[in-house]
Amino acid sequence: MKITFKKSDYDLIVQHSREALPNEACGLLGGVLEQDGTHAVRRVYTLTNTDASPYHFSMSPSEQFAAVKNIRENGWKLIGNFHSHPETPARPSDEDKRLAFDASLSYLILSLSTENPVLKAFRIENGNASETEILILN
Amino acid sequence: MSVALNGEKKDVGAEITIRNLLFKEKIKVHDYVTVQVNGEIISSKDYDSFVIKDGDEVEFLYFMGGGR
Ligand SMILES: [Zn+2]
């Protein structure tokens, strides 16, 4: 159970998250579910954090709908989402876990609390998070 | 009657409220589901009264958010 994406998609997550500072940033991941369960990202959708807060995020529902439609038009699936932690490590908070309703998704967290950003991926089921491997392809 | 549910054509029987369609689809946390019908986001306080009609395009999404 890993997640793969291109370096350019990784760079987009970092760029979007840095631009949103000091607030948390968020977005969706469209892609394909490979036979071995790997989530292969095909496109990163950067969304507005309607909370505009350094401590919380809520994805804009209208932007979510638009992204999901685009994902479907491309024959992909919604395979995950991401959000940033401006000042804290890349691990899901209690609220992140409580509000993770879809156990089929990869939940990515980018920490900007150190000079080099740290991206981690998790599956979250019934409030329990388990880290999964991330593979960045060229 | 049939509706397009998250892009897939689906027979839902007779006209149905959003609330009952959510139950029918086994969606549990209604407070954290956003519903769009024919491109319009429906307020969650209308889920009991808003009736889905034949041919409607219905989209469900889980709320996505969190905090530290
Ligand atoms: Zn978080």
Side-chain angles (χ1 to χ4, degrees), chain A residues 70-127:
Chain A
N70 184 270
I71 286 169
R72 206 186 290 145
E73 281 160 14
N74 282 287
W76 303 325
K77 278 190 171 338
L78 176 66
I79 56 171
N81 68 27
F82 73 90
H83 74 279
S84 65
H85 282 177
E87 306 282 359
T88 52
R91 50 162 173 68
S93 67
D94 289 342
E95 195 180 332
D96 290 342
K97 288 186 272 191
R98 188 174 63 79
L99 295 173
F101 296 111
D102 192 340
S104 72
L105 300 183
S106 287
Y107 290 88
L108 272 62
I109 299 178
L110 180 78
S111 171
L112 298 171
S113 64
T114 49
E115 186 177 354
N116 292 315
V118 176
L119 183 69
K120 290 187 177 174
F122 303 87
R123 300 286 176 104
I124 304 176
E125 190 157 16
N126 299 322

Side-chain angles (χ1 to χ4, degrees), chain B residues 44-65:
Chain B
S44 59
K45 65 182 188 325
D46 295 329
Y47 288 179
D48 293 332
S49 56
F50 193 103
V51 176
I52 307 288
K53 299 202 167 54
D54 191 36
D56 279 351
E57 285 178 21
V58 184
E59 302 272 339
F60 296 156
L61 272 179
Y62 280 114
F63 165 82
M64 285 187 194

